[in-house]
Amino acid sequence: MQNIKEIRLILGDQLNIQHSWFEEIDAKVLFVLMEIKAESEYVRHHIQKIVGIFKAMRHFADELRQKGHQVVYYHINATQNTQSFKGNLIKLIEQYHPTHLAFQEPDEYRLDQLLREVFTSFDLPFQVHSSEHFYTKRDELATFFEGKKLYLMESFYRNMRKKHQVLMESSSQPISGQWNYDKDNRKKLPKKHIPPPAHLFQHQVDDIVDAIQEMDIPSIGTIDTSSFIWCTTRKEALQLFDYFLDYLYPYFGTYQDALSEHYWSIYHSRISFALNIKLISPKEIVDRAEAYWSKHQEAVSLSQAEGFIRQILGWREYMRGIYWAKMPDYASLNFFNNQGKLPAFFWTGNTKMACMRKAIGQSLKYAYAHHIQRLMVTGNFCSIAGIHPDEVDAWYLGIYIDAFDWVELTNTRGMSQYADGGVVATKPYVSSGAYINKMSDHCANCHYNYKLKTGEKACPFNSLYWHFIQRNEAKLSSNRRMSMMYALWRKMNEDDKIALLNQADDYLEHMEEL
Ligand code: FAD
Ligand code: SF4
């Protein structure tokens, strides 16, 4: 490799082969990908997450080489790897004497700061390019809500539908006249209903796991090294999404809030990992989902299509916009001043609570839980148990294969923990055991009884819920969406209140034993 004029850095979540960078083959441009130890261990990640990212990066580098691009790849255990972006770049600059450098906008605030600092430290001009992945620019949401107190997802979403003409009848009217079908989409799985199996890949990943172990990178969760299940190439991401369209899409919306003791991904697409490392783009997903619905309306109703498209065109872009509008302060918000520590069962799944055992157990096994498990089981538990949002964030960021700061933080600290005091959610997502029983078959298998509020077998979600309501009264009672719960609490007789609070105190004191 001689006469390199430009070095371009590609991060592990920037595997977008359709990026304009790759349109032309230029022997004077050198692409660089690096597996960096510090990036793999700044929180304890699930082993499948580290393996999935490294494997996808390695495939991506091979694909670039096959197309004729110049590529340098730093394996995690390579002797020449200095284990820092700066160290490796210094060596490359010394070796190739480029005239300029470039990188794509990182999606994570910390990395954005770090790369700007590193690139500024070289005596060379550099350019920051768009990752060409999202529908929206970083500051688009902040501009849309300028001067507004509330950042309502629904108004952002409707604007996105209009702007990008998705599921629209005219430039301003949605197909069928209705914007949102959320109310139709809240069903429990019927007793004998069997969802199609999850579409799993079977990759051999011993070499990557060996390298991770050689480098002493700490991790959580388990992995089957002869049968790694996640997609790591664009081709596989497209296969996974085609499977979703043919088999899961018809019931996606109907059962998107369902919780199950027997099935771990139900009708969910499991496309988030492929999306977040940019193997596939949100526009491709939305366009394909809309086209499929349009062609197969007898199999996929509008409520399924709208329910799915809202997650990508609405929630995903909205969360990214909130992140860039509110960082860096957002990462330290703690509206309730929670100080609790996560109990050890978050790393083992050993708990008597059946719903938590399932959500945590499958997270350790697959690095995945679906939205309602994250929000209404583990997230709900953390909120009502008063766990510090730093602890909650670190766990979510580590355990899920799709967890990247911009989307994990806004979902966890914002939507789930209400630590932002109501920027993302209009009220805290907390519930007693009754909600979990309504949406699942967990309670029938549980040591606890969802109907009991006090006593040895009382469902912990019940008393902890009321404890949450009582201890946060000053902060929440003026919230109109909480007024019914505060009216109920005030009407409750004093003895019942005391019994509930004592029960909750006891559970909080013995949280490790729950
Ligand atoms: P599906 O249910 O099939 O949905 C399709 C797609 O919609 C997802 O792949 C995702 O890209 C998008 N989507 C759906 N809901 C959201 C949302 N609230 N925010 C952003 N995108 C959304 N998602 C992540 O990608 N990374 C995270 O780290 C993450 N952490 C979360 C933490 C908590 C506490 C909660 C409540 C949610 C979190 N989510 C996160 C959002 C959501 O749970 C996941 O996107 C989803 O479970 C991924 O599985 P799936 O691909 O099967 O999703
Ligand atoms: Fe979860 Fe309570 Fe139901 Fe047990 S009884 S599964 S802890 S909601």
Side-chain angles (χ1 to χ4, degrees):
M1 265 185 266
Q2 287 307 321
N3 296 324
I4 294 296
K5 67 176 191 321
E6 180 169 347
I7 293 181
R8 293 175 175 174
L9 176 68
I10 302 169
L11 297 174
D13 66 346
Q14 295 179 335
L15 310 182
N16 174 8
I17 199 73
Q18 310 201 89
H19 195 280
S20 55
W21 269 5
F22 312 120
E23 272 166 16
E24 281 173 28
I25 311 291
D26 184 346
K28 292 189 174 137
V29 171
L30 180 65
F31 293 103
V32 185
L33 292 100
M34 307 176 189
E35 297 172 0
I36 302 284
K37 189 165 190 283
E39 291 301 319
S40 319
E41 60 185 20
Y42 66 94
V43 289
R44 257 177 89 192
H45 293 287
H46 199 294
I47 181 71
Q48 293 183 37
K49 183 178 178 189
I50 310 173
V51 168
I53 293 173
F54 285 0
K55 188 164 172 58
M57 286 171 74
R58 292 176 186 195
H59 278 305
F60 192 76
D62 289 345
E63 200 178 338
L64 289 182
R65 282 194 196 102
Q66 277 158 20
K67 283 181 186 285
H69 295 288
Q70 307 282 353
V71 180
V72 168
Y73 193 95
Y74 287 87
H75 287 83
I76 189 74
N77 55 348
T79 42
Q80 73 273 26
N81 189 343
T82 65
Q83 300 298 347
S84 83
F85 291 116
K86 186 168 180 175
N88 290 340
L89 282 167
I90 288 175
K91 280 195 177 176
L92 290 171
I93 292 168
E94 280 168 8
Q95 188 176 349
Y96 294 107
H97 307 290
T99 55
H100 47 286
L101 308 169
F103 63 93
Q104 294 176 22
E105 279 181 337
D107 289 325
E108 183 179 347
Y109 186 87
R110 176 190 63 88
L111 267 181
D112 193 70
Q113 301 280 300
L114 177 79
L115 289 194
R116 281 169 204 275
E117 205 182 295
V118 166
F119 278 70
T120 309
S121 72
F122 304 126
D123 205 11
L124 283 173
F126 70 90
Q127 272 191 317
V128 186
H129 295 248
S130 159
S131 65
E132 300 175 10
H133 172 80
F134 293 97
Y135 275 96
T136 45
K137 297 205 166 58
R138 275 184 183 175
D139 59 357
E140 203 167 318
L141 175 133
T143 309
F144 178 71
F145 286 114
E146 203 165 2
K148 302 246 163 56
K149 215 174 140 209
L150 284 178
Y151 286 25
L152 278 180
M153 196 314 265
E154 187 62 24
S155 44
F156 171 79
Y157 165 59
R158 289 183 190 188
N159 186 55
M160 291 291 284
R161 291 265 300 271
K162 284 187 232 165
K163 184 169 173 191
H164 298 282
Q165 286 297 293
V166 177
L167 296 178
M168 295 297 286
E169 209 152 77
S170 67
S171 60
S172 59
Q173 282 310 305
I175 278 181
S176 85
Q178 193 175 327
W179 286 102
N180 185 316
Y181 289 81
D182 210 18
K183 285 206 175 71
D184 303 346
N185 288 346
R186 290 178 183 160
K187 302 211 167 44
K188 178 177 181 160
L189 275 188
K191 260 206 177 104
K192 293 199 174 140
H193 184 100
I194 302 177
H199 184 65
L200 307 179
F201 296 91
Q202 292 186 314
H203 300 297
Q204 194 82 28
V205 289
D206 310 63
D207 53 336
I208 304 181
V209 173
D210 288 349
I212 291 168
Q213 279 168 357
E214 184 191 325
M215 296 303 293
D216 272 337
I217 295 171
S219 63
I220 44 177
T222 54
I223 189 164
D224 181 344
T225 55
S226 57
S227 195
F228 180 70
I229 63 171
W230 293 97
C231 62
T232 52
T233 63
R234 175 169 165 78
K235 195 170 155 210
E236 288 168 2
L238 291 168
Q239 268 173 30
L240 182 68
F241 193 61
D242 282 345
Y243 182 83
F244 168 78
L245 292 175
D246 288 339
Y247 299 103
L248 308 173
Y249 198 19
Y251 288 109
F252 171 82
T254 310
Y255 298 123
Q256 68 177 346
D257 284 4
L259 293 160
S260 165
E261 191 68 12
H262 307 285
Y263 306 106
W264 62 279
S265 57
I266 316 182
Y267 285 95
H268 294 273
S269 66
R270 294 177 43 252
I271 200 71
S272 50
F273 176 59
L275 258 171
N276 293 353
I277 61 170
K278 307 186 179 60
L279 296 177
I280 194 164
S281 80
K283 179 159 170 34
E284 285 178 286
I285 295 270
V286 167
D287 287 351
R288 278 167 187 249
E290 184 175 15
Y292 193 97
W293 162 76
S294 168
K295 223 169 133 188
H296 301 91
Q297 291 187 34
E298 71 300 340
V300 180
S301 67
L302 181 56
S303 68
Q304 317 299 325
E306 188 282 319
F308 182 76
I309 286 171
R310 179 164 15 98
Q311 309 306 320
I312 314 268
L313 187 66
W315 280 110
R316 190 168 183 270
E317 296 288 326
Y318 172 82
M319 289 307 200
R320 168 175 144 92
I322 294 281
Y323 184 79
W324 286 104
K326 302 288 177 188
M327 281 300 278
D329 298 348
Y330 204 82
S332 53
L333 298 178
N334 186 0
F335 180 66
F336 295 124
N337 193 24
N338 285 340
Q339 299 298 328
K341 286 201 111 22
L342 273 184
F345 57 73
F346 270 79
W347 285 271
T348 62
N350 292 335
T351 162
K352 295 185 289 238
M353 295 177 281
C355 53
M356 292 284 283
R357 191 167 59 229
K358 175 71 183 175
I360 296 169
Q362 73 166 66
S363 303
L364 292 165
K365 185 169 179 192
Y366 298 116
Y368 177 90
H370 63 74
H371 188 67
I372 293 301
Q373 290 178 304
R374 300 186 203 197
L375 188 65
M376 296 311 295
V377 181
T378 43
N380 182 11
F381 180 86
C382 292
S383 289
I384 59 182
I387 309 296
H388 195 298
D390 286 355
E391 293 252 316
V392 189
D393 262 334
W395 186 79
Y396 277 95
L397 185 59
I399 201 156
Y400 292 118
I401 190 143
D402 57 25
F404 295 87
D405 202 55
W406 63 273
V407 58
E408 177 282 324
L409 188 76
T410 41
N411 270 292
T412 303
R413 200 169 280 255
M415 180 182 238
S416 157
Q417 299 301 292
Y418 203 78
D420 62 6
V423 176
V424 167
T426 49
K427 78 176 184 57
Y429 281 96
V430 287
S431 80
S432 66
Y435 171 83
I436 295 174
N437 179 59
K438 191 174 121 204
M439 296 312 298
S440 79
D441 53 357
H442 291 310
C443 300
N445 272 326
C446 189
H447 165 87
Y448 298 105
N449 184 334
Y450 78 93
K451 289 184 186 151
L452 298 179
K453 296 188 176 67
T454 55
E456 203 209 320
K457 293 269 176 162
C459 167
F461 282 85
N462 293 340
S463 54
L464 289 176
Y465 172 78
W466 288 111
H467 195 274
F468 171 92
I469 293 289
Q470 185 270 341
R471 71 176 184 264
N472 294 310
E473 189 164 1
K475 287 181 172 154
L476 292 176
S477 58
S478 59
N479 180 327
R480 273 194 304 126
R481 296 198 62 204
M482 298 296 288
S483 56
M484 209 172 86
M485 294 328 291
Y486 280 101
L488 277 176
W489 175 246
R490 284 174 198 135
K491 264 195 226 148
M492 216 181 275
N493 85 46
E494 281 310 306
D495 289 347
D496 289 348
K497 279 186 183 174
I498 290 167
L500 268 173
L501 296 178
N502 285 342
Q503 178 83 29
D505 282 336
D506 186 52
Y507 278 155
L508 288 174
E509 230 172 273
H510 301 98
M511 208 169 1
E512 297 293 346
E513 293 150 42
L514 287 179

